[in-house]
Amino acid sequence: GPIDNFPQTYNDFIDAVAVQADGKTLVGGPFYEIDSIAHSSCLARLNTDGSFDTTFHTPFLNYNSVYSIFEMDDGRILVGGNFGSFIRIRYFGRLLANGNIDTTFLTGPLNNHVDYFKLLSDGNIYVVGAFTTRVSATQTYNRVARLLPNGSFDTTFISKPGADGEVFTLDVQPDGKLIIGGDFRHYNGVATHGIARLNTDATLD
């Protein structure tokens, strides 16, 4: 139902929401104003009564938007989207519980935005989006990658040539295989028409 203190006006739309364990809500989008209050980030937090939480130390995230948000069990926050910062976070990163950037999280050199991500029980993270990142002659991550718990690329998961178009979403089966969906027509040169299942080494099933 309606909440009296819930912000009534944003100067742009909302792309992502995540309710925290304490009942507060994280919101992401290309907005830079909430109820006429200037906000220099595309990420904000609302109190349990819906009011704008001005105590959350939101980092300056420029460019466009946060597309996906997840609060970890320890209170740290994973964010993915089309954003950048001057402090070691671009397209994907991890924040401390207070909103400051977690500079211990490496985040590979992604060259384009992240649409969605999935945190696994072992701490590894699948990320999908529009990126086409080549780290070395043998390590290429085209629109889907697996990150280790410290944020570095998992070099046992190489999506090369991978999807030939943007990947918007994903989920993981109980056996660990990965389902991806998006605006692609081939994966590793095989016709897939927007949906594919991948083995745990990024090969097509």
Side-chain angles (χ1 to χ4, degrees):
I3 303 175
D4 289 343
N5 292 326
F6 211 85
Q8 298 300 304
T9 60
Y10 294 82
N11 69 316
D12 217 321
F13 51 84
I14 304 297
D15 277 319
V17 297
V19 178
Q20 295 185 294
D22 61 3
K24 293 184 177 183
T25 302
L26 295 162
V27 295
F31 55 86
Y32 53 88
E33 186 177 282
I34 302 174
D35 275 351
S36 301
I37 300 173
H39 185 62
S40 61
S41 180
C42 49
L43 177 70
R45 189 168 70 184
L46 308 179
N47 294 308
T48 55
D49 66 353
S51 58
F52 181 26
D53 184 357
T54 58
T55 68
F56 186 63
H57 300 158
T58 312
F60 176 71
L61 301 178
N62 61 339
Y63 299 163
N64 191 335
S65 185
V66 170
Y67 297 147
S68 192
I69 311 169
F70 183 81
E71 182 189 32
M72 302 174 67
D73 290 341
D74 61 7
R76 289 179 295 181
I77 301 161
L78 294 168
V79 290
N82 186 14
F83 57 79
S85 170
F86 296 112
I87 310 175
R88 203 174 181 172
I89 182 171
R90 189 176 185 186
Y91 303 124
F92 186 76
R94 189 170 66 194
L95 308 179
L96 302 175
N98 65 1
N100 290 333
I101 294 173
D102 183 353
T103 57
T104 68
F105 191 73
L106 300 178
T107 308
L110 297 170
N111 65 355
N112 211 331
H113 64 264
V114 169
D115 285 299
Y116 192 74
F117 63 85
K118 182 85 171 182
L119 176 65
L120 306 182
S121 59
D122 60 6
N124 290 336
I125 308 163
Y126 282 116
V127 295
V128 295
F131 54 87
T132 55
T133 297
R134 180 177 179 179
V135 178
S136 69
T138 59
Q139 297 177 20
T140 300
Y141 305 90
N142 282 336
R143 303 176 181 93
V144 56
R146 187 168 62 211
L147 305 181
L148 299 174
N150 67 356
S152 62
F153 283 115
D154 184 344
T155 58
T156 67
F157 187 91
I158 306 295
S159 51
K160 177 185 180 181
D164 61 358
E166 189 169 353
V167 179
F168 297 136
T169 190
L170 72 109
D171 208 349
V172 181
Q173 296 184 162
D175 62 2
K177 292 184 178 182
L178 177 67
I179 306 291
I180 60 172
D183 186 20
F184 57 91
R185 293 295 173 264
H186 299 83
Y187 188 90
N188 285 357
V190 179
T192 51
H193 302 291
I195 188 167
R197 184 167 67 185
L198 311 183
N199 297 309
T200 55
D201 61 356
T203 56
L204 181 67
D205 186 352

